[in-house]
């Protein structure tokens, strides 16, 4: 076993911290023990399945098309995940899926077009996963914010429409506020990186024995790509959703307020 | 002031700017809020729309500003069906003042610029004077205005679109008596200038002060003459 492989013993040892968490839950009567045990078991099963499947897809002899198929599945599942997190938003599955597809197309075009990473199964899957994973949360956030803004400030939007403004102009201040809210966390994360926390990819590379500066350059490229992906997905879903809540003759449809 | 009562029937179409012709409207859930309502809005007159809460007065105004589309009947502007006209142009020609003043974030100037971004300051000064506001208010934050000032600013904002009809949905309901009279005078002045004004009100003394014509709605339809008189008499007794 190399020093970058922790083996089953290492995984088992890391459960010691879960035991501490469970102990605290019991002590403080948080009633989270069952939930913690379930999440630990579920994560293990899910990741092991993914690991075995990835081993097949990322095999150097496997066709790169298996990796692309994996990406398609990820995009569709991200659409379902977004819908499950924001059921109250009309048409969110289609918008979320289109948004994630846009993110994958744009980000991977940049990555492979500029030869930032070589186009191989072992780069396609994790990079697409990283871009989608980071964008999904922002998509849910911007969707909820837009629905909230246009529902809470319906009077204001209709007052602008009543002056003869188009739906785009009438909703612009509210949509802008929602987009800002969704983007600020990612911008703050990008600002704080290195000072407050070491990001996952870099930590993983350092643990795997890669030179720290080399790990930093990879991490920087990834962070910039993630920032661009989040901005792209938020804009796609923001504009798509706004178009959906107005009629072609510039009327605001009834909107059910999000409970979140 | 001696106001007349009546519906669209047997009216001379000359001078009619906005006409509701057997208009019905159902809410998204299917509930019918308006049933075959007729109303004519004349140039240079104040038409008061009265009736109990839930009678459909606000809904009728929203149809006039094209914020809603009727499920039956027609709304016509100068004889043309509103659905055949550009909705944005309709809204500039048929302005709407809401029950509560709705100032947008920013200054009075930025509020006015929403209605006409290319207007010079002189236009803003003129329109503020027209609604009885001091032109030096232009740089004030709109949220800091009093209720009366904010409602006047909203009227100024609407006037910048040069409307031929203004629909006012209980515009003085949240104002003190002094500001109430001021806005009423302003509505009368606008009618004198040739604008067709529709004013929704529950207040009978106000109705008597400003109305050239009164139309009463009951349960989403035009009240019969007997129902109108009964409603107005009840309001009169309520005011005593």
């Amino acid at each position: 076993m190399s020093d970058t492989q922790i083996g089953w013993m290492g995984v088992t040892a890391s459960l010691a911290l879960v035991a501490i968490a469970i102990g605290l839950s019991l002590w403080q009567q948080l009633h989270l023990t069952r939930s913690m045990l379930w999440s630990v078991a579920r994560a293990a099963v899910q990741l092991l399945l993914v690991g075995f499947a990835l081993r097949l897809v990322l095999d150097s002899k496997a066709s790169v098309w298996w990796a692309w198929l994996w990406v398609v599945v990820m995009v569709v599942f991200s659409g379902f995940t977004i819908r499950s997190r924001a059921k109250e938003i009309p048409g969110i599955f289609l918008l979320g899926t289109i948004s994630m597809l846009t993110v994958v197309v744009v980000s991977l075009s940049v990555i492979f077009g500029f030869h930032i990473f070589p186009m191989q199964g072992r780069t396609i899957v994790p990079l697409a996963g990283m871009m989608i994973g980071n964008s999904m949360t922002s998509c849910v956030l911007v969707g909820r914010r837009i629905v909230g803004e246009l529902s809470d400030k319906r009077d204001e939007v209709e007052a602008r429409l009543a002056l003869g403004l188009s739906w785009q102009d009438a909703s612009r201040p509210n949509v802008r506020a929602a987009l800002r809210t969704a983007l600020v966390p990612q911008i703050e994360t990008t600002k704080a990186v290195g000072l407050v926390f070491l990001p996952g990819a870099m930590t993983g590379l350092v643990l795997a024995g890669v030179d720290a500066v080399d790990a930093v350059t990879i991490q920087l490229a990834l962070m910039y790509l993630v920032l661009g992906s989040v901005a792209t997905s938020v804009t796609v879903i923001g504009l798509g959703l706004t178009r959906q809540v107005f009629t072609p003759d510039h009327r605001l449809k009834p909107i059910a307020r999000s409970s979140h | 002031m001696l106001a007349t009562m009546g519906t669209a029937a047997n009216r001379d179409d000359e001078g009619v700017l906005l006409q509701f012709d057997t208009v019905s409207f159902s809410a998204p859930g299917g509930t019918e809020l308006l049933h075959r309502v007729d109303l004519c809005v004349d140039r240079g007159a104040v038409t008061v729309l009265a009736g109990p809460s839930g009678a459909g007065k606000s809904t009728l105004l929203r149809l006039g500003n094209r914020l809603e589309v009727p499920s039956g009947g027609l709304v016509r502007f100068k004889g043309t069906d509103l659905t055949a006209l550009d909705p944005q142009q309709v809204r500039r020609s048929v302005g709407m003042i809401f029950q509560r003043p709705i100032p947008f974030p920013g200054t009075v100037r930025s509020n006015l610029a929403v209605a006409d971004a290319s207007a010079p300051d002189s236009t803003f000064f003129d329109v503020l004077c027209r609604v009885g506001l001091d032109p030096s208010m232009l740089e004030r934050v709109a949220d800091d205005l009093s209720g009366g000032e904010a409602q006047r600013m909203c009227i100024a904002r609407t006037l910048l679109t040069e409307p031929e009809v203004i629909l006012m949905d209980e515009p003085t309901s949240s104002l003190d008596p002094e500001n109430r009279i001021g806005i009423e005078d302003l509505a009368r002045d606008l009618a004198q200038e040739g604008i067709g004004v529709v004013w929704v009100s529950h207040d009978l003394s106000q109705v008597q002060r400003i109305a050239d014509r009164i139309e009463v709605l009951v349960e989403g339809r035009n009240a019969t003459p007997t129902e109108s008189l009964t409603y107005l008499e009840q309001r009169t007794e309520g005011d005593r």
Side-chain angles (χ1 to χ4, degrees), chain B residues 128-197:
Chain B
L128 288 178
C129 289
R130 198 170 160 198
V131 299
L133 289 177
D134 188 336
S136 66
M137 277 186 165
L138 215 49
E139 300 307 332
R140 276 187 57 189
V141 174
D143 275 337
D144 293 345
L145 300 177
S146 70
E149 289 171 336
Q151 194 60 297
R152 283 172 191 270
M153 183 201 69
C154 291
I155 297 172
R157 207 168 59 187
T158 299
L159 287 175
L160 281 170
T161 67
E162 298 179 1
E164 292 182 70
V165 175
I166 296 189
L167 309 169
M168 304 176 105
D169 189 1
E170 297 190 59
T172 59
S173 60
S174 59
L175 305 184
D176 57 60
E178 191 186 336
N179 273 303
R180 210 174 294 162
I181 299 290
I183 302 281
E184 286 171 14
D185 291 344
L186 178 56
R188 292 255 20 118
D189 290 346
L190 294 174
Q192 292 275 322
E193 292 169 21
I195 292 175
V197 176

Side-chain angles (χ1 to χ4, degrees), chain A residues 168-248:
Chain A
Q168 294 93 332
D169 289 336
S171 61
R172 184 162 292 127
N174 309 87
V175 173
R176 201 176 277 164
L179 293 181
R180 283 179 62 87
T181 305
L183 277 173
V184 163
Q186 190 59 44
I187 294 170
E188 292 304 318
T189 303
T190 309
K191 271 190 212 165
V193 71
L195 297 174
V196 182
F197 71 98
L198 294 178
M202 182 182 150
T203 308
L205 288 166
V206 171
L207 285 173
V210 174
D211 175 70
V213 175
D214 289 342
V216 162
T217 55
I218 291 172
Q219 183 63 54
L220 274 178
L222 290 175
M223 288 212 69
Y224 298 156
L225 288 164
V226 165
L227 185 59
S229 297
V230 170
T232 305
S233 62
V234 158
T235 308
V236 169
I237 213 154
L239 298 182
L241 182 59
T242 310
R243 172 181 281 270
Q244 204 161 288
V245 295
F246 285 92
T247 62

